Amino acid sequence: MAFPWLREPWLRLVASAEAGRLAHAYYLQHNVEGGSTEFIQRLNQFLLCKQPGKSACGKCKSCLLYLSGNHPDTWTIDGAQVNRIGVDTVRELQQNVTQTANQNGLKVAVILEAEKMTEQAGNALLKVLEEPPADTHWLVSTKDAERLLPTLRSRMQWLSIAYPTTAQSDEQVTFAKQLLAGLRGQQELPLLKDKDGALSWLDVSENLLMDWLLISQRAAATRLRYQQLADELQHISNYEWVNVAQLSEWVSECRQLRQRYQGSTGINLPLLLSFAWSRWSNTLSA
């Protein structure tokens, strides 16, 4: 493994394979810089390999097909290439995995950035995981596991990988500071002009609220997205009226808004997010 933090979870999977205890579905944190894509690719090849050891042999027909990008028994939905993953895309994948394996071995379905699935797509995936086809494995990555349906997460096994902490960019921290000041009435709220910009601000909103919620729950600072704002969030958590239940509701509102946006092209995301900010700000100033 090129990334040392991937070695331990890899050895756990190999041990499970040797003991015949592999789960039919795994999900893990999507972290391209940390090697999540490489990990999934290696696991995919390992599962398809006809002569695996501690890794795929790289020499059998199945490995050669995989390395050439032509293996007929594996399929990938890459959420990085789309704004949302719709139900038709998941249903097509579902139809593929129900077919007999071309190479008389395992079949592997991969979904990257699965948090982009619409609610209907998530439910479609849930149905197939409730009664998984024989000799089929699912490999799912997500930037935020909590955005997946709880029932969906319960049907998969979490692969814990201790990625190095990645600090938010200075620009993201600046945006979070601007939003926090706007919500507190210290300056004007950001002006949203287009959907792409609103989607970025929606991510900032959710991450900021999650940090605020975690601090209110006295969680470890290492879990924060914007550690530079920890002191300020701690201060306002002590002196401003907003409780854990309210913050949890606002985080859920961000996620529901994202689901609506991903599920319909007619959603006016800038307007809806601006309305949400206004309501939150009014609550804080009440």
Side-chain angles (χ1 to χ4, degrees), residues 60-128:
C60 68
K61 180 180 178 181
S62 188
C63 280
L64 294 176
L65 283 170
Y66 180 81
L67 293 171
S68 69
N70 293 315
H71 201 294
D73 297 326
T74 183
W75 307 267
T76 296
I77 297 175
D78 189 352
Q81 300 178 359
V82 295
N83 287 329
R84 65 187 179 94
I85 299 174
V87 63
D88 291 340
T89 303
V90 173
R91 284 174 178 165
E92 182 181 351
L93 182 59
Q94 181 180 359
Q95 292 174 355
N96 288 332
V97 300
T98 57
Q99 299 173 3
T100 302
N102 183 279
Q103 295 297 303
N104 299 316
L106 296 176
K107 296 167 289 182
V108 182
V110 176
I111 302 180
L112 306 176
E113 296 192 30
E115 72 281 354
K116 289 187 177 181
M117 287 190 296
T118 63
E119 184 175 357
Q120 294 87 345
N123 284 324
L125 178 57
L126 176 61
K127 288 181 181 179
V128 71

